[in-house]
Amino acid sequence: MTESTAPDMSDAPDMSDTTDSAVFPDFAAIETVTCVGAGTIGGGWAAYFLAQGYRVKIWDPAPDAAEKFSRLLDAAWPALAELDMVAGADPTAWSIHTDLTKAVADTGFVQESAPEDLALKRGLLAQIDAACDRNVIIGSSTSGYSMTEMATEAVHPERLVVGHPFNPPYLIPLVEVVGGEQSSTTAVDWAAGFYSHIGKSVIRMDREVPGFIANRLQEAQWREALHMVEQGEATVDQIDRSITDGPGLRWPFQGPMLTFHLAGGEGGMAHMLDHFGPSLKSPWTRLTAPELSQRLRDDVVAGCDVAAGARTIPDLVTQRDTGIIALRRLTAELAQTGDTEARDTRAVDTSEPADTPPSQAPDMGRSDSFDDYTTEVVPEWIDYNGHMSEAFYVLVFGFATDQVMDQLGLDAAYRTATQASLYTVESHIRYLDEVALGSRLTVTPHLVAAGKKKLHLAYEMSVGDRLVATEEIMALHVDQGADQVVPFPAAVAEQIAAITPSRPDWVGRSIG
């Protein structure tokens, strides 16, 4: 992106009063938002604002800005529809501008996302400041510069605020908000409130720190990774898997501080620090950036090419977005479950504690049939023929079995408390039809027969009225501690007895 000519100040709004005396707009009254820059970050912001129901005006002088943003929006919109879209959001409610004054006219908020060039940002923020109405807050997506550094040429720096997002901003909720030395507290408060209003997770920083919070933590890990590649201590793939298959699985639920708090056992962080504090002096990290030599650069690039394999950048983006959607849904469900359990605990009358025999499972309610399991086919399930791979038919049937177990009271809490679970010992799957990306799968479970220690189950997988697969399984109730088949407890047996047996006509079929 390049700077455009500064706007003609003869028609600029009167900015003689300070921003602290301005009345910032009510969040609900804002209909239009301006995004300055349509690159990866600016375009991601624009897509998110559209999904939040705003009209979006985009300033970017690049001749192909509209074409690039259109492609980004096409890729982002399906993901936004899964998580962060309000009713009535219009993917066509955007316009591209090369005249900055027109781009900010009648806007309620400006998000600047120009490249990380200090001189460019200083000049551009000054131009935006000169062109905007006096009550409009201007946020910057800078990933490293402080607002104190960037606001030096603005006439009214008090309304300039950092709103640092994470890529892709249309999916990652975090925004770090902080003002500069001349930013007004009112402006920073308003910006933090606005980002929260549109669904972002806001960290309102107490003071400016180079790189903010998350980037500093990310950078420490990144520098150590470069050192390990340079020294031949680890490959790119090993470094990535050490996080994705290791501590990264914990971080959506508990950050690094709570993770180490739990590492201290019952003594928590105090025990952790007392016991493991001396290891902080161990040479486990270097924390200074290695020289980015041509060899190191080439090794890292080559390692990423190997790790990506045949997957293109769009393939990797789709894979990432699908994973983030699933992870955010999971964390939201877990948080809601935790809140419900906490409220239930507070509501219990503890004056006379009730004794519940260990053999009794909680009352799960009674139903004469199993609930259907539904899911949607995601990109990772598609094979080279463009249809769902046979392995993922098995996966979906497994999810349906998990739901059956939950309905019968053999859920995670039961499995943890009793160390017992349902083991599939025999199965037979028929693949009857192809399934395309995005298809909505419905799996209908049937209880064919039940014994004291086993279940005979059948599943029918459908897309609409079309039967696409069936599975028949025999499952045993196993005590994992004793490593033997055991009877179902009475409460679970009652749940099973309440289910009406049904036997589809294909059950018992042999291959051929």
Side-chain angles (χ1 to χ4, degrees):
M1 180 184 295
T2 58
E3 289 189 63
S4 67
T5 304
D8 182 358
M9 293 302 297
S10 61
D11 295 325
D14 180 9
M15 296 288 292
S16 57
D17 294 333
T18 65
T19 301
D20 270 336
S21 65
V23 178
F24 302 133
D26 291 335
F27 302 146
I30 296 176
E31 297 180 352
T32 301
V33 171
T34 297
C35 290
V36 175
T40 301
I41 300 299
W45 267 120
Y48 186 80
F49 286 128
L50 284 170
Q52 288 296 302
Y54 294 103
R55 177 173 176 266
V56 179
K57 300 168 77 173
I58 303 169
W59 179 87
D60 195 313
D64 59 348
E67 180 184 351
K68 286 185 176 179
F69 174 66
S70 183
R71 289 199 300 269
L72 186 153
L73 184 61
D74 287 343
W77 201 254
L80 284 163
E82 291 287 332
L83 285 172
D84 293 312
M85 188 175 293
V86 302
D90 182 0
T92 68
W94 59 276
S95 55
I96 291 283
H97 302 264
T98 56
D99 184 315
L100 185 59
T101 301
K102 291 181 179 178
V104 300
D106 301 320
T107 195
F109 177 71
V110 177
Q111 184 74 34
E112 171 272 316
S113 304
E116 289 294 290
D117 179 306
L118 183 56
L120 170 62
K121 282 188 176 289
R122 282 174 171 169
L124 188 54
L125 286 170
Q127 292 182 52
I128 299 169
D129 176 46
C132 275
D133 288 340
R134 60 185 295 273
N135 65 338
V136 173
I137 296 296
I138 302 163
S140 174
S141 300
T142 180
S143 59
Y145 295 123
S146 69
M147 187 50 74
T148 298
E149 294 176 290
M150 296 188 297
T152 57
E153 298 178 16
V155 175
H156 295 278
E158 60 272 8
R159 60 156 164 188
L160 303 185
V161 177
V162 168
H164 172 232
F166 272 77
N167 189 36
Y170 61 83
L171 276 184
I172 304 295
L174 179 64
V175 178
E176 294 169 317
V177 177
V178 63
E181 292 178 359
Q182 298 184 73
S183 302
S184 76
T185 301
T186 306
V188 177
D189 288 343
W190 187 96
F194 178 68
Y195 288 125
S196 296
H197 174 72
I198 62 173
K200 291 297 184 180
S201 174
V202 175
I203 294 178
R204 191 194 188 289
M205 296 178 61
D206 296 330
R207 60 183 177 179
E208 292 180 301
V209 178
F212 314 111
I213 299 172
N215 267 355
R216 291 179 70 90
L217 297 173
Q218 212 171 221
E219 185 71 9
Q221 187 179 74
W222 167 237
R223 293 184 182 190
E224 185 62 31
L226 291 178
H227 273 299
M228 298 189 82
V229 173
E230 182 187 45
Q231 297 297 318
E233 297 165 348
T235 66
V236 168
D237 178 67
Q238 289 170 337
I239 289 169
D240 279 352
R241 286 197 296 113
S242 75
I243 299 301
T244 60
D245 295 352
L249 294 174
R250 299 186 297 222
W251 290 342
F253 313 102
Q254 293 158 340
M257 303 306 288
L258 274 183
T259 294
F260 281 105
H261 178 60
L262 294 183
E266 293 184 359
M269 181 64 83
H271 176 71
M272 166 66 193
L273 292 174
D274 293 342
H275 189 68
F276 296 104
S279 69
L280 293 175
K281 297 180 180 179
S282 300
W284 286 3
T285 183
R286 300 165 179 91
L287 280 183
T288 55
E291 179 184 359
L292 189 57
S293 65
Q294 187 65 39
R295 177 183 173 183
L296 174 57
R297 185 260 180 204
D298 292 345
D299 287 348
V300 173
V301 171
C304 289
D305 288 341
V306 171
R311 292 172 297 174
T312 64
I313 293 297
D315 292 337
L316 293 170
V317 168
T318 299
Q319 182 179 13
R320 177 201 63 194
D321 290 357
T322 302
I324 292 173
I325 289 168
L327 192 55
R328 284 186 57 190
R329 281 179 168 165
L330 175 61
T331 53
E333 290 171 3
L334 290 176
Q336 185 176 21
T337 300
D339 289 344
T340 301
E341 290 176 350
R343 287 194 297 271
D344 291 345
T345 301
R346 289 193 295 269
V348 171
D349 180 4
T350 58
S351 58
E352 295 183 14
D355 293 326
T356 302
S359 62
Q360 291 184 1
D363 183 9
M364 303 293 293
R366 293 289 182 264
S367 174
D368 61 0
S369 64
F370 291 124
D371 297 332
D372 286 347
Y373 173 78
T374 61
T375 190
E376 187 172 298
V377 179
V378 297
E380 287 78 9
W381 298 356
I382 301 301
D383 63 16
Y384 48 81
N385 293 317
H387 301 98
M388 187 165 80
S389 173
E390 62 184 36
F392 293 101
Y393 286 79
V394 179
L395 180 71
V396 173
F397 281 130
F399 290 155
T401 298
D402 290 343
Q403 183 170 288
V404 165
M405 293 173 66
D406 290 347
Q407 190 171 345
L408 294 176
L410 299 168
D411 55 12
Y414 171 84
R415 296 192 295 271
T416 300
T418 65
Q419 300 235 327
S421 186
L422 206 60
Y423 277 40
T424 299
V425 294
E426 185 177 349
S427 68
H428 176 207
I429 294 180
R430 296 188 304 151
Y431 301 94
L432 304 177
D433 206 347
E434 296 173 332
V435 177
L437 175 64
S439 297
R440 192 71 182 171
L441 300 175
T442 299
V443 180
T444 301
H446 301 272
L447 176 63
V448 178
K452 291 182 178 180
K453 306 176 183 179
K454 66 182 180 180
L455 294 178
H456 184 180
L457 300 168
Y459 301 94
E460 293 178 310
M461 182 187 298
S462 304
V463 175
D465 296 330
R466 181 166 56 95
L467 185 65
V468 297
T470 66
E471 183 186 41
E472 180 180 1
I473 71 169
M474 186 68 70
L476 302 179
H477 185 239
V478 176
D479 184 325
Q480 296 163 297
D483 195 24
Q484 63 182 14
V485 180
V486 295
F488 294 110
V492 173
E494 289 177 12
Q495 292 287 341
I496 296 171
I499 302 295
T500 302
S502 62
R503 185 186 180 92
D505 57 8
W506 51 266
V507 167
R509 238 179 238 188
S510 59
I511 295 178

